[in-house]
Amino acid sequence: MKVTIIGTGYVGLVTGACFAEVGNDVLCLDLDQAKVRTLEEGGLPIFEPGLLEIVGRNRAAGRLQFTTDVERAVRFGTVQCIAVGTPPGEDGAADLQHVLAAARGVGRHMTEYRVVVNKSTVPVGTAEKVRGTISAELGKRGVELPFAVVSNPEFLKEGAAVEDFMRPDRVVVGADDPQAVKIMRSLYAPFQRNHDRFFLMDARSAELTKYAANAMLATRISFMNELANLAELLGADVEQVRKGIGADPRIGYHFLGSCFPKDVKALIRTAGEAGGALPVLEAVERVNSGQKRVLARKILARFGGKLSGRRIAVWGLAFKPNTDDLREAPSRALIEELLANGATVSAYDPVAMPAAKSAFAALAGIRYADSPLAALDGADALAVVTEWQEFRSPDFRAVRERLKTPAIFDGRNLYDPEEMKRWGLEYHPIGRAATKAED
């Protein structure tokens, strides 16, 4: 099958590469010439484990191509997947300008039946807007051509996106056009050979399913964030509590971590526009937003509320391991807070430093180290923000020797408090009692 992917960001590139991997002919469209040039030269604009190999393999086989030519892209694929960004506006609503621009491009250049698939995370009702936009463009041309609009949200975890796409736990499709449904079933058949995970529903329900899933996950982590704060007040250990409640199969251990603020805000906005309210999610947003400031508050408290002249080492900049994505990353709030209070920052991340240099370009007082231990040189304390594997078992003797103050502020609870005490390190975790170094 011929498939066009509109947008070569995180969702678009993974989607295009994985469709090509099972034998489809895929053409990825992006208006960013520099990004397309990078892809044609064998590079990637994002980091995702396994993606470079799949892209390279399918480019070499001729199944995966890239272009900036809108007309060529629209005329290439029977399936047109829209996978462009929907950044939040100031009011929290998803910005659909790129989605609707993609729809206009399809309407201007299509010459035969097309299945237009919304893979971007979009508010409920976007399928109708896309349909109306395409119809308007066809009207301007004075032609009538058949097409269908389908909602097919992605449920990929950054850092495991290729695996998630190749072995999905669900394929949600919102469609009412029989021909489009048949095409979508055929497109996803190679990914569900052993079990049928194809969930067919109306487009509005499919759009809401994506937001509901992310909102539920955000609610779980906000609950754990509140328990962590309470555990500190009560002298309990939230890691033990996490194990105790996670053993209940109705709760489970998965996703007692991470948050989805953009989608929570957009869903709250959608409810308001429909005349409803989501007080639980409003509370979720407040809790998860406030939690990003906890590590900075601990550091400030340890140094008497004064950080002027202090240097803080930061391990981890990406919002989670195995990605270079800094959107909503806790490191952003921490670094901004540290700098605002007079500190300087020495940062290290195994993948995300190029993205960080761009994101923090306007901020003075940050330097980037070549290794985790190099980040500690001249630092007064260490803040662990992302749970990369290489941070899990560092040389604690070297950590202690390099830090001016042997203090670790662990935002991911990676280390055993008793072990930190034996190594002569102060340890300040989340939701657990802080420990002092043994003399």
Side-chain angles (χ1 to χ4, degrees):
M1 190 181 301
K2 288 188 174 182
V3 180
T4 292
I5 308 292
I6 304 173
T8 60
Y10 168 73
V11 174
L13 195 52
V14 171
T15 299
C18 291
F19 279 151
E21 179 75 353
V22 296
N24 296 291
D25 291 320
V26 178
L27 178 62
C28 293
L29 167 71
D30 203 293
L31 300 183
D32 187 332
Q33 293 183 348
K35 185 183 288 187
V36 169
R37 187 163 53 250
T38 296
L39 289 163
E40 289 179 332
E41 292 172 352
L44 291 185
I46 61 171
F47 176 80
E48 182 64 36
L51 185 58
L52 183 64
E53 293 79 5
I54 290 183
V55 169
R57 184 162 59 243
N58 286 281
R59 279 184 65 251
R63 291 190 299 267
L64 182 61
Q65 303 174 64
F66 304 96
T67 186
T68 58
D69 187 335
V70 176
E71 182 175 359
R72 177 192 171 198
V74 173
R75 296 193 176 184
F76 179 85
T78 300
V79 176
Q80 301 274 316
C81 291
I82 298 177
V84 296
T86 54
E90 292 184 3
D91 60 356
D95 186 345
L96 295 178
Q97 62 171 316
H98 301 302
V99 171
L100 299 181
R104 281 192 291 272
V106 174
R108 286 170 185 161
H109 298 292
M110 63 182 285
T111 57
E112 55 186 321
Y113 179 76
R114 289 290 179 262
V115 179
V116 182
V117 180
N118 276 336
K119 287 206 73 69
S120 300
T121 301
V122 294
V124 176
T126 299
E128 287 98 322
K129 292 181 179 179
V130 168
R131 185 178 293 111
T133 299
I134 295 173
S135 295
E137 291 299 325
L138 292 174
K140 291 177 184 177
R141 294 167 55 193
V143 297
E144 290 187 13
L145 293 170
F147 69 93
V149 177
V150 172
S151 175
N152 175 218
E154 54 83 17
F155 298 95
L156 308 177
K157 299 185 295 293
E158 291 194 42
V162 171
E163 176 71 15
D164 286 349
F165 199 102
M166 299 302 291
R167 296 176 177 81
D169 51 21
R170 65 208 142 161
V171 176
V172 173
V173 172
D176 55 12
D177 180 278
Q179 186 176 355
V181 172
K182 183 178 180 181
I183 288 172
M184 294 300 289
R185 285 192 183 278
S186 176
L187 184 62
Y188 278 103
F191 303 101
Q192 42 179 347
R193 292 296 188 191
N194 299 323
H195 302 283
D196 184 8
R197 296 181 172 87
F198 194 96
F199 295 92
L200 179 63
M201 58 189 73
D202 63 273
R204 282 180 168 259
S205 295
E207 290 166 342
L208 182 56
T209 296
K210 168 64 176 180
Y211 275 118
N214 282 1
M216 174 64 79
L217 296 173
T219 301
R220 286 168 67 94
I221 185 54
S222 72
F223 177 71
M224 291 308 300
N225 283 337
E226 288 201 326
L227 278 187
N229 296 335
L230 179 61
E232 287 190 24
L233 292 174
L234 298 177
D237 185 334
V238 75
E239 293 303 317
Q240 299 300 321
V241 174
R242 190 192 308 271
K243 293 175 184 177
I245 65 173
D248 187 328
R250 297 169 299 176
I251 298 172
Y253 295 107
H254 295 298
F255 279 96
L256 292 178
S258 189
C259 65
F260 306 83
K262 179 175 78 75
D263 295 343
V264 170
K265 290 176 183 176
L267 191 54
I268 292 170
R269 174 74 177 182
T270 296
E273 290 175 347
L278 296 172
V280 171
L281 287 189
E282 290 170 0
V284 165
E285 183 185 7
R286 288 194 302 272
V287 170
N288 287 345
S289 178
Q291 195 69 17
K292 292 180 181 180
R293 307 286 175 182
V294 168
L295 210 58
R297 289 201 298 269
K298 287 177 176 286
I299 295 171
L300 273 165
R302 169 60 181 81
F303 292 105
K306 298 177 181 178
L307 296 180
S308 182
R310 302 277 186 184
R311 175 182 290 172
I312 307 299
V314 174
W315 281 3
L317 298 169
F319 91 98
K320 63 182 292 189
N322 297 320
T323 181
D324 62 352
D325 195 345
L326 269 76
R327 291 174 297 175
E328 305 294 345
S331 64
R332 301 185 76 138
L334 172 64
I335 288 173
E336 289 169 3
E337 193 89 3
L338 294 175
L339 295 178
N341 282 277
T344 58
V345 170
S346 176
Y348 172 77
D349 188 288
V351 168
M353 286 199 291
K357 290 175 182 177
S358 175
F360 296 129
L363 299 178
I366 308 176
R367 72 174 182 88
Y368 299 91
D370 294 330
S371 70
L373 289 180
L376 305 181
D377 290 336
D380 292 275
L382 166 63
V384 181
V385 185
T386 313
E387 63 272 33
W388 287 96
Q389 285 291 345
E390 65 184 275
F391 301 157
R392 291 182 178 273
S393 185
D395 182 342
F396 289 113
R397 178 178 286 106
V399 170
R400 187 191 64 211
E401 291 173 350
R402 292 187 182 222
L403 289 173
K404 292 181 179 178
T405 304
I408 297 178
F409 297 83
D410 186 359
R412 306 309 304 169
N413 287 358
L414 294 185
Y415 309 130
D416 176 59
E418 290 303 313
E419 184 181 8
M420 295 302 95
K421 186 186 295 184
R422 289 194 296 272
W423 280 112
L425 291 161
E426 284 182 37
Y427 186 55
H428 302 265
I430 304 292
R432 318 168 88 173
T435 57
K436 294 183 178 180
E438 289 184 347
D439 294 332

